[in-house]
Amino acid sequence: MTSRDSHETNGEPSTDRPTVADGSGAPANPLDVLESEGDVDTSLGTSDKIKKYLRIYIYEPWLVMRRDWRALVGLTIISSYIIVGILGWLFLEPTRMGHGPNQLPWFRSLAHPLGTNLYGVDLMRETIHAIPMILKMMFAGGMFTIVMGTVVGTVAGYKGGTVDKVLSTITDVFINLPGLPLVIVLAVVFTPESAYALGILLTIEYWAGLARAIRSQVLQIRYDEYTEASRTIGLPTGTILLKDVLPHLAPYITIRFVSAMRTVLFSAVGLYFIGVLPEGDTNWGIMLSNAYNNGAMYRPQLLHWILIPSIAIVVLSIGMILLSQSLDRVFNPRVREKHKSDGEESLEEEDEVGGKGKGMTLG
Amino acid sequence: MNWYLQRTLQMLLTVYVVITLTFVLTRMLPGSAIGVLRSRLEEETDMSPAEVEAAIQQFINIHPDDPIHIAYRDYMLATLQGDLGQSIWYGRSVNEIVAEAIPWTLFIVSWSLFIGFFVGIILGSLMAYYEGGKIDVGLTTYGMVAGSIPYYIFAVFLLIFLSYRTGIFPTSGRVGNVEHGFNLEFMGSVIYHAALPTISMILAGSIASLSMRGNSIRVLGSDYLRVARLRGLSNNTIISQYVLRNAVLPMYTSFMIKIGQMFGGVIILEMIFGYHGMGWFMVESVDTRDYPLMMGCFMVITIAVVIALFIADLTYPKIDPRVTTENEEL
């Protein structure tokens, strides 16, 4: 019953499209709309198509999100980081040693609102100038995770057989490896300088969890009625994967994207803190490291040197947790119904994805 | 195939991959690494070039000029015999350093895992049972905030306020100035020094209790719990037999995921607390360019995690018998 042909038809197929690929009456998530609509209108022009995608991927999720305070706060926090980062990069002069008086506490002077460190470096400017690099790194890590995880997981789950065996074995090996020691050694060997390369390096084993979760999801979806219907009609594998399977995985993928970014943030800062990543431009981890090594631990007047980068990390991380919780609501109507006032659902959901994968692959 | 056999093969394969990876990475070390070693040997000793080459091979178990397959064979043989090479910085064998450091790391990690596990279960059950109450709301908020704080930030602030400011705990080190051995004073000192690293790990691990809570709530909502109530079972029985039992399962899986994270996290924590375990030696060896020691630490930490996960996986079916059968279907 499995059609193991692998026509990679990513473009719009010219074949007769089945009117309905979703056998389920009400769409389980907003993205299901995409399937049914995409399947009905085959005559859309490019601009119409873009509009349709915008509506389904941006506008409709937004309708759900704007009623959720988590989404609003999370998005506000993340966009402020982006805006401040860009503005700072454009208009704010970088700081240097001796920029201000030494050891100025925070909130004392308008010229240096967040004070200066032991050497007179303006901490506000230093913190802001670190944002672009951190965000680039997080983005690269997140993208690498979801692309690797989705491709490996989907292909393994859908093709089965030897391909699955090989890919699952690779995934299992990566899942069993602890991330940080590997990252440290790789960083020493390759000394990556660019933020993007670092982001990828930091998620070098993180994608495996997503791949495993997606594989087991694909295995389930594969035998669902509508997928089977598409297969019976003779749609190529690529189309079925794109139209029937992937939309159902979008929630997992999105939430994993956010959590991968958080992992990159945490590990990057931690590894910069202990000084094993190649030092380039300043960032929060290097700030922490300098503070730690220059007596901020025991000198009360230097406490803000540690506090400022810590707050920058924690606030960004809170923003991302809130966003991933609300994303869960956007995608998961069951969650929305069941736990309207519950705060921890997405955390649980996230753990569950990993947990489930863990249980399943034991073999 | 038998599930246990399959899992064992997977573990062996992973160990093999780790050793091979170490070999490849050692070969790929920036040319300067071996150069540094060579120049140091040439300057500091009066060896002949041939002796220098032999010494290099002893240090990293890889002869730089050998063809790759011979080098690989030699490396595998040496490693499988338990020879991890020679530390450049300390002038001792890596095995010796590792053997001396690893108990300390295992001490911190295992205590953090077990205490975190049980605290998580108890908190999670409490939260689920008093859903919506003050305890629940308070712990939920704490969990969310704590989940956003990396463990090393916890560590830094614990260190500032509990060690440097108040002097309750030591600022660094593994053990105080006491005689080593099985005496009470030594044990006390060990626990005293390990307290802060362990606490930082547990505090940051609070997410576990939240996942537990979510799962407990699901159990509480299910029909069979309602039936249990209707049958007039006592609350204690319901909590221990119904809620806990079902909630431990997801806890155990997250426990397994945590093993890897903790062995990674302990590297950063050991640096912050100046705790001379595996992680500390690994990072220090990066700073001192002591590559044999670095690779040795990497290999030992990684294989420790692989074996820990293996053991955790083997015990999992004891807790959830569905696992082995479920896998056969997939």
Side-chain angles (χ1 to χ4, degrees), chain B residues 307-319:
Chain B
I307 292 174
L309 284 176
F310 176 63
I311 296 170
D313 270 359
L314 288 191
T315 48
Y316 190 73
K318 298 247 185 313
I319 299 179

Side-chain angles (χ1 to χ4, degrees), chain A residues 136-157:
Chain A
K136 278 187 217 163
M137 207 159 58
M138 286 161 56
F139 182 75
M143 286 309 284
F144 177 73
T145 303
I146 60 172
V147 170
M148 278 296 278
T150 311
V151 170
V152 173
T154 322
V155 172

Side-chain angles (χ1 to χ4, degrees), chain A residues 281-303:
Chain A
D281 297 334
T282 181
N283 65 54
W284 304 330
I286 294 180
M287 286 171 79
L288 280 175
S289 166
N290 288 339
Y292 179 90
N293 291 323
N294 287 292
M297 301 295 285
Y298 46 86
R299 283 191 220 169
Q301 69 271 30
L302 283 176
L303 187 63

Side-chain angles (χ1 to χ4, degrees), chain B residues 182-328:
Chain B
F182 275 102
N183 57 59
L184 211 58
E185 205 186 357
F186 176 70
M187 309 276 234
S189 178
V190 167
I191 294 174
Y192 180 55
H193 281 78
L196 280 190
T198 313
I199 293 173
S200 339
M201 275 211 180
I202 296 170
L203 283 181
S206 61
I207 288 280
S209 76
L210 296 172
S211 105
M212 163 94 177
R213 169 178 179 268
N215 287 295
S216 304
I217 290 171
R218 225 171 250 175
V219 174
L220 278 176
S222 57
D223 285 340
Y224 93 111
L225 212 68
R226 205 166 299 137
V227 174
R229 289 226 167 89
L230 287 175
R231 280 168 65 198
L233 295 177
S234 76
N235 271 340
N236 284 341
T237 317
I238 293 179
I239 290 179
S240 62
Q241 297 294 313
Y242 285 69
V243 182
L244 262 182
R245 255 219 154 133
N246 282 283
V248 159
L249 275 184
M251 264 308 271
Y252 200 77
T253 52
S254 76
F255 172 77
M256 294 197 290
I257 295 170
K258 277 219 149 48
I259 293 178
Q261 292 175 357
M262 287 214 159
F263 272 95
V266 81
I267 296 179
I268 297 178
L269 287 182
E270 283 180 3
M271 281 314 284
I272 294 174
F273 288 104
Y275 194 89
H276 294 202
M278 293 294 294
W280 186 88
F281 279 106
M282 182 167 175
V283 177
E284 283 295 303
S285 64
V286 173
D287 287 346
T288 55
R289 298 188 168 214
D290 188 351
Y291 296 113
L293 182 57
M294 180 186 80
M295 289 298 183
C297 289
F298 164 71
M299 197 153 51
V300 172
I301 295 179
T302 309
I303 291 177
V305 172
V306 171
I307 292 174
L309 284 176
F310 176 63
I311 296 170
D313 270 359
L314 288 191
T315 48
Y316 190 73
K318 298 247 185 313
I319 299 179
D320 185 1
R322 286 170 303 181
V323 176
T324 36
T325 47
E326 223 171 72
N327 271 294
E328 275 152 25

Side-chain angles (χ1 to χ4, degrees), chain A residues 169 172 176-177 180 188 190 262 266 269-270 292 297 300 310 317-318 344-345 348 351-352 360 362-363, chain B residues 3 6 10 13 18 21 28 140 147-148 152-153 159 165 211 218 264 272 291 298 302 309 313 323 327 330:
Chain A
T169 311
D172 285 342
N176 280 324
L177 294 181
L180 283 187
V188 169
F190 296 107
R262 215 159 59 89
F266 278 19
V269 173
Y292 179 90
M297 301 295 285
S310 304
S317 161
I318 289 181
E344 263 43 64
E345 195 61 31
E348 174 213 336
D351 257 14
E352 201 179 54
M360 297 238 167
L362 297 169
Chain B
W3 181 79
Q6 209 174 343
Q10 189 197 321
L13 175 72
V18 170
L21 187 71
M28 285 171 73
T140 307
S148 317
Y152 46 85
I153 304 262
L159 198 54
R165 294 280 170 90
S211 105
R218 225 171 250 175
I272 294 174
Y291 296 113
F298 164 71
T302 309
L309 284 176
D313 270 359
V323 176
N327 271 294
L330 292 178

Side-chain angles (χ1 to χ4, degrees), chain A residues 18-36:
Chain A
T19 34
V20 166
D22 72 42
S24 55
N29 68 45
L31 295 167
D32 279 1
V33 179
L34 173 69
E35 285 171 26
S36 50

